[in-house]
Amino acid sequence: MPSADPLTKAHARRLAWLVGLGVAVAIPASLAVWIAVGGLRDWEPIHTARVANVSGALLLTTAVFGPLLLRRFPRPDRLRGFVMSWFALSTFVSCTWQLPLILFNDAITGAEVTTGNLPRFISWWGYGSADTHYGTVSSYMVASEMGWLVGMGTGLTGLLLLLRGRTRPGYLLMGVGGALQAYNATYYVFQSGVVEKWDNVATDSWIGPFLYFGLGALWPAAALTASVICLRFFVPGSSPAR
């Protein structure tokens, strides 16, 4: 059975530094650097946004899976750290990127594409120019995000229970939430392929498919990994610590 105390204070601090620096510091800093580079090289704003988003996606991947690489901590602790940071991180990304795009879509999608507006909209323009569903905030995109929020909310509820010492229901809800997230993200990509032949993906450069399929693989892979770990912690005798 998993411990009622999911992480030591030292481990929690290391996770906070890893994920916090990666998401709150490194990604904004990389976007700022690419804005400067794009200005010096006289790039079009959309191209700058796409290149910056590639850098951001790589840093985000590091922040997501980085907790598994903290080898100074025992394996079961690394697994617990990964699932806890995943649900916290996915919630943060949803609240700072996906939800604002839906709630303020007119302001974001209707903004004039200029160098002056680039610092404010760079993260949305980068991916939105690669995937027209997000670029136009289509009804399908909104429905897909609502499904993602169901999984995220389920997992976040489980995380809160875990932090309060209710480990079994916490891991169960996180396992179910991760599975829902993985299904949602996988369905989004494959439905676009089956129904639309991926016509929503920009093909004017390699960056569009890279962002679409790269992030399209990151979300379900991370969510499914978190789900499997949580469900193995939940089921007696099948802990991933073994």
Side-chain angles (χ1 to χ4, degrees), residues 168-182:
R168 293 210 72 210
Y171 281 121
L172 175 60
L173 286 178
M174 287 196 293
V176 172
L180 290 173
Q181 287 179 316

Side-chain angles (χ1 to χ4, degrees), residues 132-240:
T132 58
H133 283 305
Y134 280 79
T136 61
V137 191
S138 69
S139 297
Y140 173 59
M141 171 267 183
V142 174
S144 178
E145 287 298 334
M146 293 303 102
W148 175 267
L149 290 177
V150 171
M152 185 195 76
T154 303
L156 184 60
T157 301
L159 175 59
L160 295 176
L161 289 175
L162 180 67
L163 292 174
R164 297 183 65 179
R166 300 180 61 186
T167 55
R168 293 210 72 210
Y171 281 121
L172 175 60
L173 286 178
M174 287 196 293
V176 172
L180 290 173
Q181 287 179 316
Y183 172 78
N184 175 270
T186 302
Y187 180 85
Y188 175 80
V189 173
F190 279 95
Q191 191 275 351
S192 297
V194 172
V195 176
E196 302 176 71
K197 309 300 183 185
W198 288 306
D199 287 340
N200 58 304
V201 183
T203 56
D204 54 321
S205 78
W206 64 270
I207 300 178
F210 179 89
L211 288 174
Y212 181 82
F213 290 106
L215 291 172
L218 170 62
W219 298 125
L224 182 60
T225 301
S227 176
V228 170
I229 292 171
C230 289
L231 292 177
R232 290 192 64 188
F233 271 130
F234 170 76
V235 176
S238 63
S239 169

Side-chain angles (χ1 to χ4, degrees), residues 6-7 11 15 67-68 76-86:
L7 294 177
H11 193 181
L15 280 177
L68 294 174
D77 290 349
R78 295 199 307 271
L79 297 177
R80 282 190 281 268
F82 167 76
V83 298
M84 294 175 71
S85 64
W86 162 249

Side-chain angles (χ1 to χ4, degrees), residues 8-180:
T8 65
K9 290 183 178 179
H11 193 181
R13 285 195 298 269
R14 184 61 62 92
L15 280 177
W17 274 100
L18 173 66
V19 178
L21 284 176
V23 175
V25 178
I27 291 179
S30 73
L31 297 180
V33 168
W34 285 113
I35 289 172
V37 170
L40 291 173
R41 300 180 69 89
D42 198 27
W43 287 347
E44 292 293 326
I46 291 299
H47 180 69
T48 301
R50 285 181 175 180
V51 173
N53 271 230
V54 170
S55 176
L58 295 175
L59 290 170
L60 182 62
T61 302
T62 301
V64 168
F65 289 106
L68 294 174
L69 304 178
L70 298 177
R71 309 222 25 115
R72 62 175 292 185
F73 301 103
R75 181 171 182 268
D77 290 349
R78 295 199 307 271
L79 297 177
R80 282 190 281 268
F82 167 76
V83 298
M84 294 175 71
S85 64
W86 162 249
F87 287 107
L89 180 57
S90 65
T91 300
F92 176 81
V93 173
S94 292
C95 291
T96 59
W97 195 88
Q98 287 136 313
L99 283 178
L101 179 59
I102 294 172
L103 296 174
F104 308 107
N105 69 85
D106 289 339
I108 295 172
T109 61
E112 185 179 1
V113 180
T114 64
T115 302
N117 282 333
L118 185 60
R120 182 183 301 178
F121 301 110
I122 185 170
S123 62
W124 292 291
W125 285 354
Y127 186 79
S129 65
D131 179 357
T132 58
H133 283 305
Y134 280 79
T136 61
V137 191
S138 69
S139 297
Y140 173 59
M141 171 267 183
V142 174
S144 178
E145 287 298 334
M146 293 303 102
W148 175 267
L149 290 177
V150 171
M152 185 195 76
T154 303
L156 184 60
T157 301
L159 175 59
L160 295 176
L161 289 175
L162 180 67
L163 292 174
R164 297 183 65 179
R166 300 180 61 186
T167 55
R168 293 210 72 210
Y171 281 121
L172 175 60
L173 286 178
M174 287 196 293
V176 172
L180 290 173

